[in-house]
Amino acid sequence: MTVSLEQLRRCHVAVDLGAARTRVYVKGPGLVVDEPSVAAVNTRTGSLIAVGALAEQMTGRTPDYIRVVRPVSGGTVVDIDMAQRMLRHLLGEKLRRQLRRKPRLRAAACTPHDSDPLAQRATVETMIGLGARRVELVDTLIAAAVGCGLPVEQPTATMIMVCGAATTQIAVLSLGSIVTAARVPIGGDAIDHAVIQHLRQHHELMLPSQSVRPLQLALSGNGLTPHGPATTEIHGRDVATGLARSVHVDTAAVREALYTPLTSVLDGLGKVLRDCPPDLVADLADRGIMMVGGSALLPGLDQMLRDATGMPVQIADRPDVCSVLGLGAMLDGKVQPMVLNPLAA
């Protein structure tokens, strides 16, 4: 762990800036913000119209002078000014007033594994714009492992897979540090895009931007597995005529389209296992893989990983908020480092 637990205990607020959702944990009240990382801006005046869930509902439904933006992409802040404005509105005036009363406000933030210094600097600048005097950066993999209850500080191997909207991060942890890890640029957005392309090419159907995720869940009760209804009725717009149209989609064909982006995830998983020391791989055969992140809820994904690796796969109780809850546990002092007993003289 790059940041000591003692430094994290001094922090007052923890932020998880994700590509899909932004979450804020304040020491004491707990999780206070869990909203989509979206903002709607008036391009004529530059004013902020809406943030969070309301701004996400505006996607694809706005006139020309309103632009819906996502200031975070792949866990990296791409628009610092807009990210600061979005965070201010999500926190609200009352909570910001409470945080300003702290004499030296300290903040902790999640950063993707192996992120470059420029991306880390953008995260720090975003938090400084909120009034933080000092910012501690924690690897998302470690924070998520703590949040889902894995024994991160123990000398045993634990494997975690963070399935985000833009990336999938896989790591083997031991003694509070990352032994080996991989970051695959495939996430929930790539799966959405694969479904959209399949319907456009094979059924000449265009979907509204917000109906793809319900489509995945409606494929069948077991998602990527072949059990369930053979067809699903999908409503969309005809590519040629522009009129509304409904088609019956073969769920087996949609599953085949989803396998293409998921193959890269399996390749990353295999790379992590090959680079892992043999002793730790033996531990993983019993403990298995813990899945966290919003895309981990895709039905049947855990079974696909079981079939590919032969290892047990579990999904965390609250996979979407594990990272920020892990940061919160570190802030509250609930994580204790392993103490080595000195050898007797």
Side-chain angles (χ1 to χ4, degrees), residues 78-96:
V78 294
D79 189 339
I80 297 176
D81 178 63
M82 188 56 63
Q84 291 175 350
R85 297 172 66 185
M86 180 186 71
L87 271 175
R88 289 194 196 102
H89 282 77
L90 288 176
L91 286 172
E93 182 61 33
K94 181 180 179 181
L95 189 55
R96 281 189 288 129

Side-chain angles (χ1 to χ4, degrees), residues 35-120:
E35 293 281 342
S37 304
V38 188
V41 186
N42 187 328
T43 56
R44 296 174 181 173
T45 62
S47 60
L48 205 60
I49 297 175
V51 296
L54 181 59
E56 188 177 48
Q57 293 175 6
M58 296 182 181
T59 305
R61 297 180 171 90
T62 59
D64 294 338
Y65 67 92
I66 296 179
R67 186 166 58 98
V68 178
V69 296
R70 292 182 177 269
V72 184
S73 175
T76 301
V77 179
V78 294
D79 189 339
I80 297 176
D81 178 63
M82 188 56 63
Q84 291 175 350
R85 297 172 66 185
M86 180 186 71
L87 271 175
R88 289 194 196 102
H89 282 77
L90 288 176
L91 286 172
E93 182 61 33
K94 181 180 179 181
L95 189 55
R96 281 189 288 129
R97 196 182 305 117
Q98 293 176 358
L99 294 177
R100 281 198 297 264
R101 293 173 186 166
K102 306 290 183 182
R104 290 184 61 84
L105 181 63
R106 289 172 174 253
C110 289
T111 55
H113 175 70
D114 204 19
S115 57
D116 57 87
L118 188 61
Q120 296 179 7

Side-chain angles (χ1 to χ4, degrees), residues 242-259:
L243 300 177
R245 185 164 63 91
S246 299
V247 296
H248 287 274
V249 179
D250 184 12
T251 54
V254 178
R255 281 194 296 268
E256 289 296 327
L258 294 181
Y259 280 131

Side-chain angles (χ1 to χ4, degrees), residues 216-217 219-227 251 255 258 298-300:
Q216 296 177 23
L217 301 179
L219 284 176
S220 69
N222 296 314
L224 301 178
T225 58
H227 306 291
T251 54
R255 281 194 296 268
L258 294 181
L298 181 65

Side-chain angles (χ1 to χ4, degrees), residues 38-288:
V38 188
V41 186
N42 187 328
T43 56
R44 296 174 181 173
T45 62
S47 60
L48 205 60
I49 297 175
V51 296
L54 181 59
E56 188 177 48
Q57 293 175 6
M58 296 182 181
T59 305
R61 297 180 171 90
T62 59
D64 294 338
Y65 67 92
I66 296 179
R67 186 166 58 98
V68 178
V69 296
R70 292 182 177 269
V72 184
S73 175
T76 301
V77 179
V78 294
D79 189 339
I80 297 176
D81 178 63
M82 188 56 63
Q84 291 175 350
R85 297 172 66 185
M86 180 186 71
L87 271 175
R88 289 194 196 102
H89 282 77
L90 288 176
L91 286 172
E93 182 61 33
K94 181 180 179 181
L95 189 55
R96 281 189 288 129
R97 196 182 305 117
Q98 293 176 358
L99 294 177
R100 281 198 297 264
R101 293 173 186 166
K102 306 290 183 182
R104 290 184 61 84
L105 181 63
R106 289 172 174 253
C110 289
T111 55
H113 175 70
D114 204 19
S115 57
D116 57 87
L118 188 61
Q120 296 179 7
R121 184 63 186 172
T123 304
V124 172
E125 289 290 338
T126 302
M127 302 309 299
I128 290 177
L130 293 176
R133 299 295 185 89
R134 184 181 176 92
V135 181
E136 309 289 355
L137 299 180
V138 181
D139 197 303
T140 302
L141 291 165
I142 296 179
V146 173
C148 63
L150 292 178
V152 179
E153 298 293 336
Q154 299 301 316
T156 56
T158 54
M159 190 170 195
I160 188 166
M161 176 183 289
V162 181
C163 306
T167 59
T168 298
Q169 304 173 64
I170 311 164
V172 175
L173 308 175
S174 180
L175 289 173
S177 298
I178 297 174
V179 178
T180 178
R183 184 180 174 192
V184 183
I186 298 294
D189 293 344
I191 296 174
D192 292 348
H193 184 70
V195 177
I196 291 174
Q197 289 298 108
H198 171 79
L199 293 176
R200 187 183 183 96
Q201 293 175 2
H202 295 84
H203 299 278
E204 297 183 351
L205 194 74
M206 292 181 63
L207 287 178
S209 58
Q210 295 180 357
S211 5
V212 182
R213 192 53 58 100
L215 167 67
Q216 296 177 23
L217 301 179
L219 284 176
S220 69
N222 296 314
L224 301 178
T225 58
H227 306 291
T231 60
T232 302
E233 186 177 8
I234 304 299
H235 305 281
R237 190 180 72 182
D238 190 277
V239 173
T241 64
L243 300 177
R245 185 164 63 91
S246 299
V247 296
H248 287 274
V249 179
D250 184 12
T251 54
V254 178
R255 281 194 296 268
E256 289 296 327
L258 294 181
Y259 280 131
T260 303
L262 291 177
T263 302
S264 300
V265 177
L266 294 177
D267 292 342
L269 182 61
K271 178 181 182 300
V272 171
L273 291 174
R274 287 192 299 271
D275 295 342
C276 187
D279 292 340
L280 295 182
V281 174
D283 291 343
L284 295 177
D286 299 328
R287 293 181 173 272

